[in-house]
Structure formats: structure tokens, C-alpha cells
Amino acid sequence: MTTHGDAVGPSALPAVPAPSIEKDQVSVATGGPSERTGASPIRPENHGNRPEPVEAPPAVGRLATALSRLRAALGAVSYPLVLPSADEARRVGSALVAQLDDYLLPRLARLDAPLMVVVGGSTGAGKSTLVNSLVQARVSNAGVLRPTTKSPVLVTHPDDVQWFGRGGLLPGLTRTGESSNAPDVLQVVATPTIGPGLALLDAPDVDSVVDQNRKLAAQLLAAADLWLFVTTAARYADAVPWELLTTARLRGTVIALVLDRVPADAAAEVAAHLGEMLTANELGSAPLFVLPETELEEGGLLPDAAIGPMRIWFAQLAGDAGARGTVVRQTLDGALSALTPALNGLAEAADEQVRAAHSLDERVESAYRNAHHILEEGLRDGRLLRGEVLARWQEYVGTGDLVRNLESRVGHLRDRLLAALSGRTSPAQNLRVALESQLVTLLRGVATDAAEQAYAAWQAHPAGAALLAPNLQQASADLPERADRLIRDWQHWVLDLVRTEASDKRAVARGAAYAVNGAGLAVMIAVFTATAFIPTGLEVAAGAGSAVAAQKVLEAVFGDQAIRTLAGRARTELLDRVEKLLAVEAARFTERTSTARLETTHGTLLRQTAAEVENARKELALTGSGS
């Protein structure tokens, strides 16, 4: 048996401090209402008598424009990287978008629209019974099964149906005049027992065991002009309702409270304790109605002695356009004031995304810069002149006897070399293969090392670890093929370079393709040393005599400066090609941060639009102070 008693409470509306905003992401629950008595379900096509709109001042239009820009700015930010601030930023951002769509923009468009009172509170607090009793009709389902209210029910006067029957406030909820279990449904019921200018919306439980119901309750509360919070003597100190009450206070929503089912012998003590809690949470001025235990009358309604004072309070509010306007403007101004601190927090979260993306990119770039540097050093320190390359080069240019006779017999050697090339293609081919193999091996090694270093660096960063995939720990699967192609293409480029530069050299012309090939291979060997064959360090150990042989051959054909120029150009070309290949390898990482990098301007845009909204709010001066 449900029991209630007399109501006591003030008649003045509260003055609520300046707010800030939070809200859960929008979603909608399903459910159906109970059998109705004394009320008519309203179909969406029945719009009633639409009053003439009140012309809004120009400042309203400027504020609406600023809010629309803000809506677009919020929709552009995604917070893609996994950071401590990202989940909260996405939640708050979604909440702000929902509040703009559900409440701020439609309410600002019609400040004279009826006052919407959202009845919310704890599970089993008696919200539906209270709504039914206030309008003296069974318009909302009440019972012992939980949750009772699944789909919200809005009760309004027949003359006000046009405000709620087709979107406006809460446009994302489909209007219906029938009971329904479908999601995204708002049942609109008209009854003359509620005064025009006022609507009551029975919301799901704020602490429902059904997650969808809790989110819907938060959505509806964020769209309230006035929140009538209902709790019981057994549940009034629960944490979840107080979190929402604090949020509503910070947001500037006007709040009234109902303490239901209070035992007669505990009414004074419980009411006093609740009053202390309200004062401690800066809600001491909120109207408080205390309903002691009593039996329900026929139809499941509270007796008039219990509900009468509260019904009179709402009737007075419905009949006083000035009072309703005060509530609307105070709540709207509070919600607008709350945007600036919330948006500053979102802007900082957006900036953090960009900083994290740059930090991750720098770790990758460092790993691949180091790879490029190692390869460049490999070309300079002579290490590539050892092993197979050295053997094939010595086979190609001759033995040590050749070196000893170079200084006095340059011309003769040149002719002998070019003639030998015309009949011996195998040593040249062997040398090219050895060069290619050495370079490809070095390139694959540095690319693999860079991938491992970048992977480890990202693994140490929370946002980077979330972006990693197993294949990133190694170089690309097709890297060997691309490296082979790179070196072969570079070798062809060197031969073309030699052919172009030596077009006026008769000695090379006489040797035709063989001379170009021999000179080109000598240029490639030159790339493997630091100073165009001056033997130093590892070059001495790697066979400096053979290197000098190559130098003398090239000097005879091209001249000393040309050798240095050709070797330098060939080295630069090779390093450029390697740099591009490594950039492709690095892009496997950095493409995963590209979305965050694209949000570079979002933090600034959020701050700018927040300032525009705040300036427009102050200009409009909804509460008269403009502050």
C-alpha cells in the first residue's frame, strides 16, 4: 500500500547561482503508459490554436547565430586519441550538443513558449503518482514494478499542444498520442486539469538499473525549465540524485523538491536534515514540499489534502506569465553561462589531442631520422667496400699491378680498360649485383630497426599504445621488393647521369655502352666512400688501392672535379630516394594520428565561439543584469 500526507512548502521561486554544464549522452528508453482517465492522448497532427509569436529583440538573433556556430564547432571535434581527458570530453561534448538541440536553441527561439517542468528523481519515489495527482488523471503509469516509467510522458493543456506535439524542445524524440514500446518516443497527453502555459514531463528514474533510462532521464532534465525533484524519506541522501542536483544547480536550472512518504513521527527530523543538506549544497532557497505517508484514493491518486497545496502552487505559476518568464529566463541564462567553462575544458582537451599527436609523430620521425643517418654513415665510412663488393670491384678493374702503374700509364690503362669491358660483361654484372645486395641489406636493416624503435616509443605512450597494430613492429611486408626496386632505379639513374655528363668525351664515346657502364660503376663505388676515394679509416682496410684505381680511371675520362661532382650527385640522389622510402614507412605510424593533427584549430575555435556566446548572452541580459 502506498501512503502519503499533507504538503507543506514555500511559494517563492528560487534564486539559483550562476551555473556550469554537464550532461550525459542522449539515448531514449522504451515503454508504454497505463490506461488513462480524464485526459486525451494527442496525435502529432493535432496542433491546437497556435498563438501569435512574440517578436524577439535583435540580441536574441545574435545569440542564436552564436549558438549555431558553437553547435557546428562541437560537431567537428572528435577527440580520437586515447587520453585521460578524451572520454570525458566526448561525453561533455555530446551533452552540450544535445542540450543545444533539445533546449537552448528551441527555447531561445520562443521565450514565450509554455514552461516545461520535468519531474525526476529516484527509483520508486512516486513520480508518476505525483504527476497523476497534480493533474487529477491517470496520465502516467504508476506501479510496483521497476522501472515503471520507461517512455517519458508529457502532460499539457490542450491549448499548448502545438508547443510539444511537433519537436521544438526535445526534437529528437518522436511524438505520439498512443502508448508505445518503441525507442525515441515522447507521449504527449492533453488534459484541461493542468493550466495553460505549463507542462509536466514524467521522466525515467535518474538511478534506474537500465542504463538507457538513466541517460534519457539526464537528457530530459537538461531540457527542463524547472526540475521538480522527487525523493523519499528513505532515499533522500543517495549519492546519484545529489550529483544531478548539483549539476542542475551549476547549470542554473530552477529546482523545486518533493520529499515523499515521510513517516509522521519523523517528518520534522527528516525535513530538517534535508534542509541542512540543501543549504550545504547551495540549494537552500529551493522550494521544498514534504508529503507524509497516507493512503491513496480510488484511481491511485493522492488525496486532495496531501497534494492540494502543491497543485495550487503550480496553478499560480501557470497563471502568472511573469513568473513563468522569470523561471525560463533564469534557467536559460544559467545554461548559457555554464557554456564558457565547459567549452574551455573541451578546448584544452582538443589542444591536448594535438600535442599528443605531435609528440607521437616526433617519436616516429626521430626513429626514421636515425635510420636515414645510419644509412648515410654507411655510405661515408667505407663499410660497404668490404666483402662481396670489394671482391667484385677488384675482379672488375684488375689486380694490384694495375694500381702500381696507374700514375705513368693513365692513358694506356684507360684504353685497355675500355677494350676489356667490350668483351667481359660478367664482372660488371657481378659488381652491380653485389652493389645492389649491399645497399638493399643496409636499407632493410635500418628500416626494420626504425620500425622497432617507433613501435617501442608508441608503446610507452597511452595514446600511442592504443593505435598500435602488430604489423607495425616490423618494416612493411613489401619493403624488400621496394628496396630492390629503389636500388635498381638508382643504378639506372647513375648510368643516365654518366651518359649525359660524358656525351662530349670521345674516350667514353668510343667505348659506347661498355664505357658508360664502367664509368657508372666507378661512380657507384665512389658513393660508398666519404671523400671521393681519399683513403681514410675503414677505407684503407677495405681496399683503398682499388678505390684509388677507380679514381684514376674516372679522372682520366672526366677530370678531377667532375669525379667529385658525379659522386656527390649520385650520393645525394640515393639519399633522397632512401628518405622517401623511409617516409612511406614512417607514414604507417603517422597516418594513425592524422585525425588528431587535423584538429589543430578546434581548441581555438571552441574558445572563440564560447566568447561569442558569452558576449551575446550579456548583451541580451535575460535576467536583467547582463552578467
Side-chain angles (χ1 to χ4, degrees):
M1 178 182 346
T2 307
T3 58
H4 290 269
D6 293 334
V8 295
S11 59
L13 292 172
V16 181
S20 86
I21 201 155
E22 288 184 23
K23 181 176 166 222
D24 286 335
Q25 186 175 356
V26 176
S27 81
V28 181
T30 62
S34 63
E35 180 182 352
R36 312 291 186 211
T37 61
S40 302
I42 300 301
R43 302 183 185 278
E45 63 269 16
N46 183 3
H47 306 310
N49 298 318
R50 187 182 300 277
E52 291 296 323
V54 177
E55 183 177 356
V60 171
R62 287 190 284 273
L63 179 55
T65 299
L67 288 175
S68 296
R69 282 173 46 81
L70 173 58
R71 173 66 172 79
L74 287 169
V77 191
S78 62
Y79 310 99
L81 299 182
V82 177
L83 295 171
S85 62
D87 285 344
E88 177 69 4
R90 282 190 290 268
R91 186 189 69 80
V92 173
S94 296
L96 292 181
V97 168
Q99 191 183 34
L100 283 164
D101 293 342
D102 290 345
Y103 180 70
L104 291 175
L105 287 168
R107 171 51 81 186
L108 186 64
R110 292 307 301 267
L111 292 171
D112 57 332
L115 181 76
M116 187 164 76
V117 180
V118 175
V119 183
S122 305
T123 300
K127 300 183 297 297
S128 298
T129 297
L130 180 63
V131 170
N132 293 340
S133 300
L134 286 172
V135 300
Q136 298 177 293
R138 292 198 63 189
V139 295
S140 188
N141 187 29
V144 296
L145 296 179
R146 301 291 176 243
T148 301
T149 302
K150 299 177 182 178
S151 295
V153 179
L154 185 142
V155 188
T156 188
H157 190 276
D159 291 346
D160 290 339
V161 169
Q162 78 279 358
W163 298 113
F164 304 106
R166 290 195 314 175
L169 296 172
L170 298 167
L173 299 182
T174 301
R175 271 51 170 179
T176 181
E178 307 293 339
S179 61
S180 173
N181 290 323
D184 302 334
V185 166
L186 174 64
Q187 183 165 5
V188 180
V189 178
T191 175
T193 57
I194 186 173
L198 187 71
L200 295 175
L201 195 158
D202 186 12
D205 303 329
V206 298
D207 55 358
S208 173
V209 295
V210 180
D211 181 65
Q212 193 174 33
N213 288 352
R214 293 196 306 274
K215 292 179 179 179
L216 177 58
Q219 175 191 0
L220 299 176
L221 292 172
D225 293 310
L226 187 154
W227 182 15
L228 183 64
F229 174 69
V230 184
T231 188
T232 66
R235 301 289 304 275
Y236 71 88
D238 289 357
V240 172
W242 280 99
E243 290 174 3
L244 289 171
L245 282 170
T246 300
T247 297
R249 173 186 63 78
L250 294 173
R251 192 171 55 234
T253 304
V254 176
I255 301 171
L257 294 98
V258 176
L259 181 62
D260 197 7
R261 300 173 184 161
V262 182
D265 57 355
E269 181 182 358
V270 172
H273 185 225
L274 177 57
E276 292 173 0
M277 293 182 69
L278 290 171
T279 300
N281 287 274
E282 302 181 39
L283 290 166
S285 60
L288 172 62
F289 298 90
V290 180
L291 303 184
E293 291 180 336
T294 187
E295 291 187 2
L296 297 177
E297 293 183 339
E298 184 179 355
L301 304 181
L302 295 167
D304 188 66
I307 201 66
M310 193 186 309
R311 192 164 57 242
I312 292 172
W313 187 78
F314 275 112
Q316 292 174 342
L317 182 60
D320 188 342
R324 295 198 311 274
T326 297
V327 173
V328 168
R329 288 171 176 269
Q330 182 174 333
T331 296
L332 179 59
D333 188 67
L336 292 169
S337 296
L339 292 176
T340 296
L343 291 170
N344 285 339
L346 293 183
E348 177 56 32
D351 291 344
E352 187 179 0
Q353 291 277 317
V354 176
R355 289 194 297 269
H358 286 311
S359 175
L360 291 173
D361 288 351
E362 175 54 34
R363 296 177 186 209
V364 173
E365 291 163 6
S366 176
Y368 283 92
R369 277 198 307 268
N370 186 53
H372 190 270
H373 175 73
I374 291 173
L375 189 137
E376 185 175 9
E377 285 300 307
L379 296 181
R380 291 182 182 276
D381 63 15
R383 75 181 71 169
L384 294 177
L385 283 177
R386 290 172 289 182
E388 183 71 11
V389 171
L390 178 59
R392 295 305 180 186
W393 172 242
Q394 289 175 334
E395 176 188 5
Y396 184 57
V397 300
T399 65
D401 293 335
L402 183 63
V403 176
R404 287 191 296 271
N405 294 316
L406 277 176
E407 291 298 332
S408 62
R409 301 177 56 197
V410 168
H412 175 69
L413 171 64
R414 180 194 61 206
D415 293 339
R416 213 179 81 183
L417 174 62
L418 294 178
L421 290 176
S422 64
R424 295 179 59 193
T425 57
S426 181
Q429 181 63 28
N430 290 339
L431 177 56
R432 288 185 62 178
V433 170
L435 286 167
E436 179 180 339
S437 176
Q438 283 282 69
L439 284 171
V440 168
T441 298
L442 179 60
L443 183 50
R444 291 174 61 178
V446 298
T448 298
D449 290 345
E452 292 174 353
Q453 292 171 18
Y455 190 96
W458 274 28
Q459 208 167 31
H461 191 290
L467 295 174
L468 288 173
N471 66 308
L472 292 178
Q473 199 165 6
Q474 299 294 330
S476 299
D478 64 343
L479 177 71
E481 177 185 346
R482 290 189 290 120
D484 287 343
R485 186 167 58 249
L486 182 151
I487 301 304
R488 286 195 301 270
D489 290 346
W490 173 73
Q491 288 177 330
H492 288 305
W493 182 90
V494 171
L495 295 179
D496 288 340
L497 173 66
V498 170
R499 185 178 295 108
T500 301
E501 293 297 317
S503 59
D504 60 343
K505 306 294 183 181
R506 289 192 301 273
V508 175
R510 286 196 303 271
Y514 300 109
V516 171
N517 193 41
L521 288 170
V523 169
M524 294 176 203
I525 288 293
V527 170
F528 282 25
T529 61
T531 54
F533 301 129
I534 298 175
T536 59
L538 288 177
E539 296 172 24
V540 175
S546 295
V548 173
Q551 181 178 11
K552 295 305 180 181
V553 170
L554 290 175
E555 284 179 356
V557 177
F558 294 98
D560 177 68
Q561 186 57 43
I563 298 170
R564 298 178 184 275
T565 301
L566 288 173
R569 290 176 63 183
R571 181 183 291 108
T572 299
E573 178 67 20
L574 176 58
L575 291 174
D576 287 346
R577 291 173 183 250
V578 168
E579 184 175 19
K580 291 176 183 177
L581 182 140
L582 293 177
V584 172
E585 289 293 290
R588 298 186 304 141
F589 290 87
T590 56
E591 66 186 6
R592 294 168 181 261
T593 60
S594 60
T595 301
R597 287 198 309 276
L598 292 175
E599 300 192 358
T600 304
T601 62
H602 289 172
T604 299
L605 182 59
L606 287 173
R607 292 184 180 91
Q608 289 175 344
T609 52
E612 291 175 11
V613 170
E614 179 62 9
N615 291 336
R617 182 194 71 84
K618 290 180 178 179
E619 180 186 3
L620 184 58
L622 287 164
T623 59
S625 64
S627 61

